C-alpha cells in the first residue's frame, strides 16, 4: 500500500469511543442486539418484536428499556395499527456502532456471536453468500493493523450505504471475529 492510500484509510476510519457502562450492558445481550438489528429498517412495536423473537412481551419490554436507557434504541412516532389501536414502535438509532467495549467485556463479544447465529438460523443456510475461516500468525502490531484495514473498508461501505438503501439493494449482515487459538503462544 502506498503512502497516499494509507492516509486515505486513516481518514476514512471513524473514531471509536469507549462504551459507557449502560451501552456495554445493553450490547452484552444477544436478544438486545437482535432488537437493534430488527429495528434498523423497520419501526417495530413491542408485540411485533416479541413475536419475531419468540419471547414474552414483558421480557421484550425489559430488554427494550435497557436499550432505550443506553440511547441506542428510541421511540418512533406513535401510529395507528391495522385495527386502529395506537402503536408505539421502536427504532434503532444507528446501523453500526463504533464503541470500544474493551477487552474485559467477554459477554458483549459472545452476545454478538450468539445474535449472529440466531440471525443466520432465521435466514437459513442458503443465505450464506460467502465465508472464510483462517489461521494467521500475528503479533499485536500486525493484528491491530489488519483490523484497522478491515475496519476502514467497512467504514467506506457504511459511509455510502444510504444510497444503496435508497436503491433498495438487498441487505447483508456479517461478523468478523479474530481470536487467539487455545494453546497459542
Amino acid at each position: 500500500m502506498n503512502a497516499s492510500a494509507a492516509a486515505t484509510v486513516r481518514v476514512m476510519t471513524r473514531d471509536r469511543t469507549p462504551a459507557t457502562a449502560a451501552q456495554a450492558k445493553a450490547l452484552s445481550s444477544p436478544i438486545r442486539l437482535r432488537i437493534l438489528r430488527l429495528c434498523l429498517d423497520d419501526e417495530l412495536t413491542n408485540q411485533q418484536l416479541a413475536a419475531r423473537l419468540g419471547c414474552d412481551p414483558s421480557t421484550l419490554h425489559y430488554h427494550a428499556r435497557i436499550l432505550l436507557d443506553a440511547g441506542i434504541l428510541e421511540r418512533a412516532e406513535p401510529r395507528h395499527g391495522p385495527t386502529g389501536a395506537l402503536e408505539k414502535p421502536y427504532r434503532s438509532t444507528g446501523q453500526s456502532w463504533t464503541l470500544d467495549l474493551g477487552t474485559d467485556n467477554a459477554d458483549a463479544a459472545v452476545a454478538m456471536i450468539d445474535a449472529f447465529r440466531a440471525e443466520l438460523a432465521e435466514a437459513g443456510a442458503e443465505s450464506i453468500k460467502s465465508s472464510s475461516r483462517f489461521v494467521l500468525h500475528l503479533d499485536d502490531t500486525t493484528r491491530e493493523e489488519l483490523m484497522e484495514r478491515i475496519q476502514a473498508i467497512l467504514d467506506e461501505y457504511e459511509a455510502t450505504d444510504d444510497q444503496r438503501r435508497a436503491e433498495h439493494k438487498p441487505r447483508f449482515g456479517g461478523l468478523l471475529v479474530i481470536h487467539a487459538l487455545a494453546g497459542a503462544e
Side-chain angles (χ1 to χ4, degrees):
M1 182 183 307
N2 63 37
S4 63
T8 302
V9 168
R10 280 193 212 94
V11 168
M12 297 183 86
T13 301
R14 294 177 294 152
D15 291 333
R16 272 129 183 98
T17 57
T20 65
Q23 290 167 333
K25 177 182 177 182
L27 296 172
S28 67
S29 162
I31 194 167
R32 291 193 286 270
L33 291 171
R34 301 270 332 272
I35 291 167
L36 291 172
R37 180 73 68 205
L38 290 170
C39 290
L40 268 180
D41 295 322
D42 299 314
E43 295 176 351
L44 300 171
T45 66
N46 194 67
Q47 292 288 348
Q48 290 169 321
L49 286 164
R52 182 81 181 267
L53 296 171
C55 67
D56 183 81
S58 62
T59 300
L60 192 288
H61 180 74
Y62 166 79
H63 289 290
R65 180 90 255 148
I66 291 171
L67 293 167
L68 288 165
D69 290 347
I72 51 183
L73 186 72
E74 63 188 7
R75 285 277 187 194
E77 289 296 317
R79 64 184 184 213
H80 291 284
T83 63
L86 188 63
E87 297 179 336
K88 298 177 183 176
Y90 300 106
R91 73 170 157 242
S92 174
T93 59
Q95 186 163 348
S96 297
W97 297 272
T98 57
L99 300 172
D100 179 1
L101 296 172
T103 56
D104 295 336
N105 197 337
D107 289 344
V110 171
M112 282 189 273
I113 294 167
D114 290 343
F116 180 76
R117 287 178 54 97
E119 289 173 9
L120 188 56
E122 181 181 23
E126 67 279 358
S127 70
I128 298 173
K129 302 302 178 195
S130 64
S131 65
S132 178
R133 186 155 155 76
F134 53 89
V135 173
L136 300 172
H137 294 83
L138 306 169
D139 59 23
D140 287 344
T141 302
T142 54
R143 179 185 46 79
E144 288 173 15
E145 177 187 297
L146 173 64
M147 290 309 300
E148 287 174 7
R149 290 174 65 188
I150 291 169
Q151 190 62 55
I153 293 168
L154 294 173
D155 289 348
E156 178 184 340
Y157 274 84
E158 183 184 338
T160 59
D161 197 53
D162 286 343
Q163 178 181 348
R164 289 186 299 278
R165 180 181 297 155
E167 295 169 355
H168 303 289
K169 301 287 186 193
R171 293 186 309 162
F172 288 86
L175 175 68
L176 175 67
V177 176
I178 304 259
H179 66 96
L181 296 174
E185 296 176 14

